[in-house]
Amino acid sequence: MKISDKTIGSVTVLYPDGEADAYNCSVIKQAITRLADEGRHLLLVNLSGVPYMDSSAIGMLVAGKTSLRKQGGDLKVCCPVKAVSKVFEITRVGSFLEIFPDESGGLAAFGG
Amino acid sequence: MGRRVLVSMDKPIHLSIPASTMMISAVRNCAASIAAGMAFTEDQIDNIKLSIDEALANVIKHVYGGESSKRIDVYFSVEAKSLKIRIRDYGRKVDPREIKPRRLDRVEPHGLGVFIMQKMMDRVEYDTSPEVGTELVMVKELSGKKRRGK
């Protein structure tokens, strides 16, 4: 899985690209940790490039949000495809992760 | 829903894989291909893919402790009205009574696999009768109707 990022105001948007599962989800965790170490604690994860996600990858997002909150930051999610939205819904992590249908909505939620 | 090209088969389709998370993608995509050939809906195929993914991840992590030199056998039985998936491991036995879905009112980064399997498949059962290891059996009905498991 590839991940790129872009900073918009005070928020960094992460763009993972590819299926996210137990094998490669650590890439997400590493990206979150790297950005946090760089002082970028407001992250919006744009999932438009992720056609599939399992619970291991979802766990990385949950752990990432928990960690960033402890550091005074936050993580939100936007643009999940239908299959991924379904998993968020079934596992009821959506309300915790704060999921937005589009990037502009996610960015606005940070107050920026 | 596509046209069914896979009908009942006498023998299962068998994959024997190393217990590595690197293999999960290949197996779930194989499951998706078989399910598509059986004319499951797109939604059902997504459910099957995710369930087998979660099941394999659980075996790799909890049964084998991430030891990729171990083996997992996966059997796909194409039946008239259902797809049966058996996942056979040869590791430490787990008491099926201890395999419970996590409560969802607590948000935690782990422990969702069992819940997902039970939610997305019509039957999920654990067979610990083999001398070594365990066999997980998951069934997805073409009709989409759940049956009570043991």
Side-chain angles (χ1 to χ4, degrees):
Chain A
M1 173 189 283
K2 296 177 184 176
I3 293 191
S4 59
D5 63 81
K6 177 172 73 177
T7 300
I8 302 175
S10 60
V11 180
T12 299
V13 186
L14 266 179
Y15 299 94
D17 181 38
E19 296 187 332
D21 64 10
Y23 174 61
N24 64 12
C25 63
S26 60
V27 175
I28 298 174
K29 179 182 176 182
Q30 288 161 12
I32 293 171
T33 300
R34 172 180 60 82
L35 291 168
D37 288 345
E38 292 174 2
R40 295 195 268 175
H41 296 110
L42 298 180
L43 299 187
L44 177 64
V45 184
N46 185 322
L47 295 179
S48 57
V50 179
Y52 175 88
M53 182 172 259
D54 71 4
S55 69
S56 299
I58 291 173
M60 290 292 159
L61 294 177
V62 170
K65 185 175 179 93
T66 302
S67 174
L68 285 170
R69 277 186 165 177
K70 287 180 181 174
Q71 300 175 65
D74 203 357
L75 178 151
K76 300 180 196 290
V77 174
C78 72
C79 312
V81 301
K82 182 182 166 190
V84 174
S85 284
K86 184 171 75 172
V87 185
F88 284 147
E89 190 181 312
I90 288 171
T91 57
R92 296 187 213 163
V93 296
S95 56
F96 174 76
L97 285 177
E98 298 176 80
I99 300 170
F100 298 87
D102 50 60
E103 188 171 294
S104 57
L107 288 169
F110 281 98
Chain B
M1 189 185 300
R3 185 173 64 89
R4 181 165 184 172
V5 296
L6 285 179
V7 294
S8 296
M9 298 165 68
D10 290 338
K11 294 182 180 176
I13 298 164
H14 174 207
L15 299 178
S16 187
I17 62 168
S20 167
T21 54
M22 187 166 47
M23 299 305 305
I24 293 176
S25 171
V27 178
R28 69 169 179 258
N29 288 327
C30 179
S33 293
I34 294 169
M38 294 180 66
F40 278 99
T41 64
E42 188 179 323
D43 194 57
Q44 289 172 317
I45 293 171
D46 286 344
N47 292 353
I48 290 166
K49 281 178 67 174
L50 187 58
S51 296
I52 199 169
D53 175 314
E54 299 291 345
L56 290 172
N58 278 352
V59 169
I60 292 166
K61 180 178 178 182
H62 299 297
V63 175
Y64 287 139
E67 181 59 63
S68 60
S69 64
K70 304 297 185 183
R71 188 176 94 241
I72 301 173
D73 285 306
V74 185
Y75 300 89
F76 298 96
S77 296
V78 176
E79 300 174 350
K81 297 181 180 179
S82 64
L83 173 64
K84 180 189 287 185
I85 301 171
R86 291 181 289 137
I87 296 175
R88 178 81 166 90
D89 72 69
Y90 306 92
R92 70 176 191 92
K93 283 190 184 294
V94 179
D95 184 346
R97 292 170 298 182
E98 295 177 9
I99 303 172
K100 293 177 185 174
R102 180 169 67 70
R103 283 175 53 186
L104 297 186
D105 54 347
R106 300 191 319 257
V107 179
E108 296 173 12
H110 305 294
L112 290 168
V114 173
F115 175 83
I116 288 172
M117 285 190 281
Q118 293 183 349
K119 184 81 175 176
M120 294 191 161
M121 299 298 282
D122 296 309
R123 205 165 86 224
V124 178
E125 297 169 352
Y126 293 87
D127 180 4
T128 55
S129 65
E131 193 173 320
V132 177
T134 303
E135 183 169 272
L136 165 66
V137 180
M138 299 190 289
V139 176
K140 190 67 175 173
E141 305 283 347
L142 271 166
S143 66
K145 290 180 183 173
K146 277 187 181 292
R147 292 192 295 175
R148 282 193 184 170
K150 287 186 238 180

